[in-house]
Amino acid sequence: MRKNSAFWLQCLLGLALVALVVLVFRTTQSNLELLGVQSGFDFLWKKAGFSISQHLIPYTEDSPIWAALAVAILNTLLLAVFCIFLASVLGLVVGIGRLSSNWLVSRLSLAYLELFRNIPVLLQIFFWYYVALRALPSLESSIFITDYLVLNNRGLYFPFIEFGNGFSISPPVMGRFAYEGGFYLMPEFLALWIGLSLYNGSYISEIVRSGFQSVARGQWEAGAALGLKPVTVLRRVAFPQALRAVLPPLTTVYMNMFKATSLAAAIAYPEIVSVFVGTVNNLAGRPVEVMAVTLAFYAGVSFLVAWLMGRWNKRITLRGQ
Amino acid sequence: MLTWIAALPQLKRNWYGIAGAAVLAFFSVAAVGADTLSDVLERGMLRCAVIEASPGFSSIDANGRRYGFDIDNCRTVAAAVLGDADAIEYVPINPNTAFTTLQSGGVDVFPGGATWTFLRDTSLGLDYTGAYLYAGQGFVVRRASGVSRIPDLEGATICVAQGTTNEQNLADYFRARRMKYSIVTFADVERGLNAYLADRCDAFTTEVFSLAGRIVALRNPEEHRILGDVISKEPFSGLVRQGDPRWRDIVFWAFNSRVAAEEFGLTMGNVEEMRARTEDAEVRRFLGVEGGFGQQLGLRNDWAYQIVVQVGNYGEVFARHFEPLGLERGLNALWRDGGLMIAMPYR
């Protein structure tokens, strides 16, 4: 009987929540109508009419707005993937470095942690953007890392496969204003990649350190007693056990890092907030729809990341624990 | 619900503004047959949207007082409606949030920097109140680059700000001529110009009036060159909410009065004397000596007099803010001097 009433209470709460959402939706719709503001998602099929400097799929000013949205989403995901990769590598190296018996290595790791964890990430991004931009050489005095890898204040240029008749490798060639051909990473991308990775890498290093420290001392000693090399103990004995402690907090950092890519809007990297909430909202004048799409994107991807990490976590959890 | 809130991206002020405005749109209940005039009179203050830190248009002096062309636009409406050009509550906005703030009732009028275009007029739920400044989109380049005309910019990297028609004008111009370019899009003019100054771009583009104001304010303006041509028409107009025809009329005629005053030869200095002795029937109606024109708008009869005596005529306002920047009247001269400024008659 008690169980039954709890069930109905939950149903009631659920219904109330749905009713609230419907009410907000209807009120918004009728308010916008009263204001004479057009609403709806038809604007997604209109011609965009603006250019985006970095696009991973074909895009021109004649493409529809949904294509601009796709370009912006891909740019967001590209940045997120690059950041998650670099921050993970940094975090792993520094986290293990913290545990090193080598005084210099462990102190350097600690210095990295304290420096980057204690400064707001937006300031770090501005630092890398404005300082690095001014420090990099201009076009005429570009740095040639190799013959085909060129760095200047317009970005990092490298050869890229060009699809035309079949495909060929096109190297960057100097034009009047900039290098042309090949592919390049914008300074905005580089600043964000470095800034977000260094900041979040510091958090990951702490997670990694605590993960390894959670592995019982006896496990390390047992590994050593079996005559395994220290590296092998680390890889085969400690790491798999540490992973269990690492994954749940790591999921949080990955999700935060993904959401923090929206800071890109502050320095002109064309991701979803800059392109969609900025440019498209201004052209289409549909703030409610634009915000809804953007929020759905962030919530959806965050949910996906959490779900995947949750499944991985489940697979490695010890039975009975 | 909480995950949704957590998923809100960490953003700077602009985007918070948009999000806030979107939330306002959720919850604000629009009054049918809105009466902005009564609201303003009751409040005793005009809520006026301004874009900050735009030399020539909107700045703050050493004493903390706002001044600039846009500020005088606010003052013009306040003088007409309240008889006091300084009874204004300034609401700082940025181009990205301007329309939404106005739509959701955060301000009574946005009198600055909005280009009058078809789509904005027909889809935003806002009304334009008549063009009061004709500008165009221009470019600034470094003198050392050797660029002297816009077509020289083929292949260049160009910095631009969002929230304007500039992005589309740029795309239209270069695409029509099959010229290559790459674009770096910033959230506002300040950041875009800074990036240009840091050599991120070969050129920066925005509307020429604000461009001139910003270049003059640089430490070394002689290192830069504003190209002679423009790639667009930018007729600036005030904006009010749609659906309040009386308020739209008031803002339109307030701006019209400054041009009329210049045509009549009325200035801040002579308007008091002219009001006492003029025989011209139109000027007498304009200044409220006869005809009761103010009442027709729901205002005091000296509404236009207050504009001229407190703010000045169009030429005075233009000279006050744009002449120090080296800008000429050009299209903004009176019609009889070859410009586009013409006042609708007071009869």
Side-chain angles (χ1 to χ4, degrees):
Chain A
M1 187 65 206
R2 185 174 291 167
K3 203 174 174 186
N4 210 8
S5 69
F7 172 75
W8 287 113
L9 192 69
Q10 300 237 7
C11 279
L12 215 65
L13 271 174
L15 272 178
L17 200 65
V18 170
L20 185 73
V21 170
V22 171
L23 184 75
V24 168
F25 183 75
R26 295 286 297 272
T27 314
T28 307
Q29 217 174 22
S30 64
N31 276 352
L32 288 174
E33 234 160 74
L34 282 175
L35 287 169
V37 181
Q38 293 184 4
S39 58
F41 289 95
D42 54 310
F43 69 95
L44 288 172
W45 280 267
K46 287 192 180 142
K47 199 176 111 170
F50 60 91
S51 155
I52 304 176
S53 50
Q54 177 184 304
H55 47 89
L56 303 176
I57 52 172
Y59 172 85
T60 68
E61 294 89 337
D62 289 333
S63 306
I65 284 179
W66 63 259
L69 175 63
V71 167
I73 285 177
L74 287 175
N75 285 346
T76 307
L77 294 176
L78 179 79
L79 178 62
V81 168
F82 267 65
C83 286
I84 284 177
F85 174 76
L86 183 58
S88 302
V89 172
L90 275 171
L92 189 64
V93 170
V94 175
I96 293 173
R98 283 288 305 282
L99 299 173
S100 169
S101 51
N102 182 316
W103 186 86
L104 187 66
V105 170
S106 74
R107 289 298 128 147
L108 275 179
S109 302
L110 182 68
Y112 162 82
L113 169 75
E114 294 300 346
L115 180 63
F116 289 102
R117 191 173 60 171
N118 292 334
I119 301 172
V121 65
L122 184 60
L123 292 186
Q124 293 192 37
I125 291 168
F126 279 143
F127 172 82
W128 291 111
Y129 188 48
Y130 287 110
V131 174
L133 204 59
R134 285 190 160 79
L136 284 174
S138 64
L139 180 69
E140 295 80 39
S141 40
S142 299
I143 303 168
F144 288 84
I145 300 166
T146 70
D147 270 1
Y148 291 119
L149 194 59
V150 187
L151 182 68
N152 58 42
N153 60 11
R154 299 298 163 80
L156 180 67
Y157 292 78
F158 47 87
F160 201 67
I161 303 162
E162 197 161 87
F163 296 95
N165 308 326
F167 63 87
S168 56
I169 305 282
S170 78
V173 183
M174 185 146 157
R176 169 153 188 211
F177 289 106
Y179 279 85
E180 288 159 9
F183 196 77
Y184 77 106
L185 293 175
M186 305 165 68
E188 290 79 18
F189 181 92
L190 297 173
L192 286 159
W193 186 25
I194 296 170
L196 286 173
S197 299
L198 284 174
Y199 177 77
N200 288 289
S202 69
Y203 279 90
I204 293 177
S205 77
E206 276 295 90
I207 293 169
V208 169
R209 180 187 61 81
S210 65
F212 276 111
Q213 283 179 336
S214 75
V215 177
R217 232 182 118 88
Q219 297 285 323
W220 299 85
E221 289 167 354
L226 285 172
L228 300 174
K229 283 185 283 184
V231 180
T232 316
V233 177
L234 191 75
R235 265 184 51 204
R236 293 298 170 87
V237 179
F239 184 75
Q241 299 185 65
L243 201 56
R244 292 190 189 110
V246 164
L247 271 191
L250 190 62
T251 308
T252 311
V253 173
Y254 280 178
M255 280 163 69
N256 278 338
M257 200 162 13
F258 165 63
K259 287 177 287 181
T261 57
S262 58
L263 293 172
I267 61 162
Y269 175 69
E271 47 69 70
I272 186 168
V273 177
S274 171
V275 172
F276 205 58
V277 183
T279 301
V280 170
N281 180 47
N282 180 254
L283 297 180
R286 308 270 170 95
V288 178
E289 289 85 347
V290 163
M291 285 313 289
V293 168
T294 312
L295 292 183
F297 166 72
Y298 278 108
V301 175
S302 294
F303 180 75
L304 193 71
V305 171
W307 184 68
L308 286 175
M309 296 291 281
R311 276 186 53 150
W312 187 14
N313 191 33
K314 221 171 213 165
R315 264 184 45 191
I316 62 164
T317 307
L318 276 184
R319 302 281 173 273
Q321 263 195 7
Chain B
M1 205 67 189
L2 270 177
T3 34
W4 275 72
I5 294 167
L8 269 172
Q10 309 161 16
L11 301 167
K12 59 197 192 66
R13 208 176 58 171
N14 284 16
W15 317 116
Y16 276 137
I18 293 182
V23 169
L24 265 178
F26 272 114
F27 295 112
S28 66
V29 178
V32 187
D35 186 0
T36 312
L37 177 61
S38 300
D39 294 346
V40 174
L41 288 174
E42 199 176 307
R43 205 188 299 129
M45 297 279 260
L46 176 76
R47 274 206 203 119
C48 195
V50 291
I51 293 172
E52 295 192 302
S54 176
F57 289 94
S58 167
S59 317
I60 296 178
D61 69 13
N63 301 320
R65 280 177 64 90
R66 290 175 189 270
Y67 69 97
F69 191 80
D70 281 354
I71 302 299
D72 273 348
N73 288 341
C74 292
R75 298 180 74 241
T76 300
V77 179
V81 176
L82 297 161
D84 177 2
D86 295 316
I88 300 173
E89 185 186 321
Y90 291 103
V91 180
I93 49 145
N94 61 58
N96 277 321
T97 58
F99 302 141
T100 323
T101 309
L102 185 57
Q103 282 164 353
S104 44
V107 292
D108 303 313
V109 59
F110 173 43
T115 304
W116 193 342
T117 68
F118 179 88
L119 278 181
R120 284 179 176 176
D121 204 354
T122 53
S123 66
L124 292 175
L126 301 175
D127 268 343
Y128 283 94
T129 61
Y132 59 77
L133 187 70
Y134 294 93
Q137 183 174 339
F139 294 82
V140 63
V141 296
R142 275 174 283 279
R143 276 190 193 279
S145 70
V147 171
S148 59
R149 306 173 309 131
I150 297 173
D152 294 344
L153 287 171
E154 160 107 56
T157 303
I158 298 169
C159 284
V160 65
Q162 279 172 352
T164 58
T165 45
N166 294 346
E167 283 174 88
Q168 282 176 306
N169 290 337
L170 195 61
D172 289 351
Y173 180 89
F174 280 81
R175 197 153 173 75
R177 287 159 186 75
R178 297 177 190 284
M179 284 163 61
K180 274 194 188 164
Y181 71 109
S182 51
I183 186 171
V184 190
T185 310
F186 289 83
D188 54 47
V189 173
E190 204 62 44
R191 286 176 212 268
L193 187 64
N194 276 335
Y196 158 75
L197 294 174
D199 199 23
R200 173 69 182 90
C201 299
D202 302 299
F204 176 72
T205 180
T206 188
E207 155 289 304
V208 283
F209 278 79
S210 99
L211 195 56
R214 287 165 192 278
I215 298 306
V216 166
L218 294 179
R219 211 178 324 139
N220 41 11
E222 68 286 349
E223 285 177 17
H224 303 273
R225 176 207 296 245
I226 295 177
L227 301 181
D229 306 328
V230 293
I231 61 168
S232 69
K233 290 181 292 194
E234 306 285 336
F236 287 168
S237 163
L239 274 167
V240 294
R241 272 182 297 286
Q242 202 164 290
D244 189 350
R246 181 165 67 162
W247 181 246
R248 193 238 165 224
D249 283 351
I250 289 170
V251 177
F252 169 81
W253 284 101
F255 285 137
N256 194 66
S257 296
R258 299 192 306 200
V259 180
E262 190 178 5
E263 289 182 1
F264 294 142
L266 301 172
T267 64
M268 285 175 94
N270 72 10
V271 66
E272 193 174 357
E273 183 199 339
M274 291 283 277
R275 181 164 71 160
R277 66 173 178 82
T278 184
E279 300 293 326
D280 184 317
E282 192 180 2
V283 177
R284 286 169 71 84
R285 286 194 295 270
F286 176 72
L287 292 175
V289 182
E290 61 187 53
F293 274 26
Q295 282 166 6
Q296 300 279 343
L297 286 169
L299 303 176
R300 277 179 295 236
N301 283 330
D302 69 347
W303 63 289
Y305 169 80
Q306 294 298 344
I307 293 174
V308 183
V309 78
Q310 295 189 50
V311 186
N313 70 35
Y314 186 83
E316 289 179 293
V317 174
F318 190 97
R320 192 180 303 150
H321 302 300
F322 292 137
E323 263 176 19
L325 306 178
L327 288 160
E328 288 169 6
R329 285 291 285 273
L331 288 176
N332 298 296
L334 288 184
W335 57 282
R336 60 182 182 222
D337 303 328
L340 295 173
M341 285 297 151
I342 184 164
M344 308 304 139
Y346 289 77
R347 63 167 48 92

